[in-house]
Amino acid sequence: MTSGAVVFAGGGLAGIAWEIGVLCGIQEKEPNAYEAIVDASTTFVGTSAGSAVAAQVAGGTPLPELLDAQLSAETTEINANMDLEEFMAAMTNAVVDAHSPEEVRRRIGRVALEANTVPAADRLAAIDARLPVKSWSDRRLLITAVDAESGEFRSFDRDSGVDLVDAVAASCAVPGIWPPVLIDGRRYMDGGMRTLANADLAAGVDRVLILVPSPADAPAQFAIPQSELDALAPSRIHIVYADAASVAAFGSNPLDPGVRRPAALAGLELGRSVAREVAAFWG
């Protein structure tokens, strides 16, 4: 067993800002614990929004700088008119009469491949601007994605031969909203189409911290399956869920750049409040 892992779950621009805020709150109140948590020996697993946060933190950019970027009114992010209820309905419909998780993901992939979105180059430029450091770090960093045609789940790391910006863009390619990302002749979409966090990729460490920008009682599409947590045994697990104030800050469209500031501030307050218990957990 190695030391530990941090799992960064998906949640749109709201999720990116919130997760950075939570980390800043922990760093502020328990700086020694924070340094231990982000030690080079810690594995990072990033899915969708979480892939951006994992890559940003792994890149070594000081956390206050990442927070300032979320609090700033200036942004290169592209606004997306996402109807959350409509999106959830589409995900639910994909499950009806499906015979396997891969079939579900293939159905969602068809939605992704057929959608009329912004040009792929524009979206890739936005992701590029999101990452201060655009190369893989030496730490174990896993970025998740799903093949939009086959439904196959994939995790990219520094040994995959895939550009970090491409990997993060693929993981963040919400079906129906953003274009799938072409990698090695295959088109990939959001890693959250497997599960919100893909936390089971962290198996084999002694403790796993999971940041989830949704409430503990969220619908299945925005929750971590119990089977996924069971797969981490015998690891100890600590999950930081979004509290009521955070959920209110996210608003109705987590892809609206305007939610970044309130989400980051809500995450900061929550991080401060949970810092002691997170530090005790990490030990």
Side-chain angles (χ1 to χ4, degrees):
M1 302 277 276
T2 55
S3 58
V6 181
V7 175
F8 301 87
L13 294 180
I16 293 174
W18 181 84
E19 290 178 7
I20 290 172
V22 170
L23 291 177
C24 280
I26 295 172
Q27 182 185 50
E28 177 185 310
K29 294 296 184 180
E30 297 285 348
N32 291 336
Y34 175 77
E35 290 305 318
I37 289 168
V38 299
D39 183 80
S41 64
T42 301
T43 294
F44 285 176
V45 178
T47 292
S48 198
S51 73
V53 180
Q56 288 172 337
V57 177
T61 301
L63 204 51
E65 290 185 23
L66 297 179
L67 181 63
D68 286 346
Q70 297 302 316
L71 298 177
S72 173
E74 296 183 6
T75 181
T76 56
E77 299 289 355
I78 303 171
N79 197 357
N81 296 317
M82 180 184 188
D83 186 315
L84 200 55
E85 290 187 4
E86 185 178 306
F87 177 77
M88 289 176 63
M91 298 304 101
T92 300
N93 290 337
V95 178
V96 177
D97 296 327
H99 299 293
S100 69
E102 290 77 13
E103 183 179 352
V104 171
R105 296 195 290 267
R106 284 195 295 272
R107 291 181 182 182
I108 296 172
R110 283 196 291 272
V111 173
L113 294 168
E114 295 170 2
N116 183 22
T117 67
V118 300
D122 292 354
R123 174 61 175 165
L124 197 62
I127 299 297
D128 183 270
R130 186 183 288 175
L131 302 182
V133 177
K134 307 176 198 309
S135 57
W136 293 91
S137 72
D138 291 335
R139 80 163 64 243
R140 186 169 183 248
L141 168 61
L142 305 178
I143 303 296
T144 69
V146 170
D147 188 310
E149 294 174 89
S150 70
E152 178 185 3
F153 176 68
R154 184 95 188 263
S155 66
F156 301 109
D157 62 19
R158 66 175 179 270
D159 297 323
S160 299
V162 174
D163 185 85
L164 178 63
V165 175
D166 287 344
V168 172
S171 192
C172 294
V174 181
I177 306 294
W178 305 122
V181 175
L182 186 65
I183 297 175
D184 296 334
R186 307 295 301 179
R187 289 182 288 180
Y188 290 91
M189 64 179 179
D190 198 316
M193 295 306 102
R194 178 179 181 252
T195 77
L196 180 72
N198 297 297
D200 51 325
L201 293 184
V205 302
D206 57 17
R207 56 196 181 276
V208 182
L209 174 64
I210 309 176
L211 303 185
V212 184
S214 57
D217 60 351
Q221 297 95 327
F222 299 100
I224 301 177
Q226 185 58 47
S227 59
E228 187 171 307
L229 298 177
D230 292 342
L232 293 172
S235 303
R236 295 184 295 114
I237 302 170
H238 186 82
I239 305 176
V240 178
Y241 289 105
D243 59 0
S246 298
V247 173
F250 297 163
S252 60
N253 180 6
L255 300 183
D256 179 356
V259 306
R260 295 176 305 116
R261 181 180 177 86
L265 292 174
L268 179 62
E269 286 303 313
L270 181 60
R272 290 167 174 163
S273 69
V274 303
R276 180 175 295 181
E277 63 188 68
V278 170
F281 162 74
W282 200 263

